[in-house]
Amino acid sequence: MLTRRQFGVLGGTLATAAAARQAAAAAGPEKLRETPEGRPLPENLVFQDAEGKETRFDAFRGKGLVVNFWATWCPPCVAEMPALDRAHAALAREGIEVLALSSDRGGRTVVEPFYQRTGLRHLAMWFDARGATGRALGIRGLPTTVILDRRGLEVARLEGEAAWDTPEMLAAIRRLVRGGSPANTTT
């Protein structure tokens, strides 16, 4: 049983943690590290679809990609997945795909129940269970998101959780995948 003082300290700690979490989740395009000239990807990067079929980024040539590296055991990853799902719904008809590449070693048996439990309806399941694609792209921690323009070049990266479905972030993604820099934004 907690004393009144312990309860107050615990409540304050939880409130501070919740406020910090909300601030992180509310972060937008200002957290993006842009590479306006674009950076080529290493060759032959392979990841798997929900059926275990190998896929390469070349399969999406001509589309903008928001590639999110995440795992079900990563709290900030879990927190941003609904926003990524909504972002995918908002961007897919414009030829921009959100690829959420799970690092879960259990693959579909772990990720599918998570998708069902959290109500993710728009994101397909993609897997980088061995982490080879993430390592080749220099992913240092989860979540990390890499934005690729329609030429297949990395144009931005964000380490950590973000609010992917805000109007500001969606506008930044649209601008980046078509090759625009902040100075020539018309959105």
Side-chain angles (χ1 to χ4, degrees):
M1 178 112 162
L2 295 174
T3 67
R4 181 176 284 192
R5 182 167 189 265
Q6 289 171 321
F7 186 78
V9 170
L10 177 62
T13 301
L14 291 175
T16 301
R21 184 159 183 71
Q22 284 178 338
E30 71 279 355
K31 286 181 67 180
L32 287 166
R33 284 187 307 147
E34 296 186 25
T35 309
E37 66 281 0
R39 178 179 312 136
L41 299 182
E43 291 188 27
N44 299 319
L45 296 178
V46 176
F47 50 97
Q48 291 76 36
D49 68 10
E51 306 306 320
K53 179 183 167 202
E54 287 191 351
T55 306
R56 290 178 165 72
F57 290 114
D58 288 348
F60 298 93
R61 184 75 62 186
K63 293 187 176 199
L65 295 179
V66 177
V67 185
N68 179 265
F69 291 85
W70 74 288
T72 59
W73 47 261
C74 164
C77 301
V78 168
E80 75 176 357
M81 288 300 285
L84 285 162
D85 190 57
R86 291 187 296 272
H88 182 76
L91 297 168
R93 65 184 163 271
E94 299 172 44
I96 302 170
E97 300 278 334
V98 177
L99 303 182
L101 270 64
S102 169
S103 298
D104 287 282
R105 293 186 191 272
R108 186 174 181 164
T109 59
V110 173
V111 174
E112 189 169 31
F114 171 82
Y115 270 45
Q116 292 169 350
R117 191 171 54 253
T118 54
L120 300 177
R121 300 184 327 259
H122 306 288
L123 290 172
M125 285 183 274
W126 299 98
F127 302 96
D128 182 31
R130 293 189 194 121
T133 298
R135 280 191 304 280
L137 290 174
I139 303 302
R140 300 183 307 176
L142 301 177
T144 295
T145 304
V146 176
I147 299 177
L148 307 179
D149 69 8
R150 295 182 189 282
R151 300 169 298 164
L153 299 176
E154 179 181 333
V155 291
R157 170 180 297 235
L158 192 149
E159 294 177 338
E161 180 183 353
W164 293 104
D165 59 341
T166 64
E168 299 81 12
M169 186 64 88
L170 294 173
I173 292 167
R174 289 178 179 110
R175 172 182 55 77
L176 288 161
V177 301
R178 72 170 179 260
S181 65
N184 65 16
T185 300
T186 59
T187 54

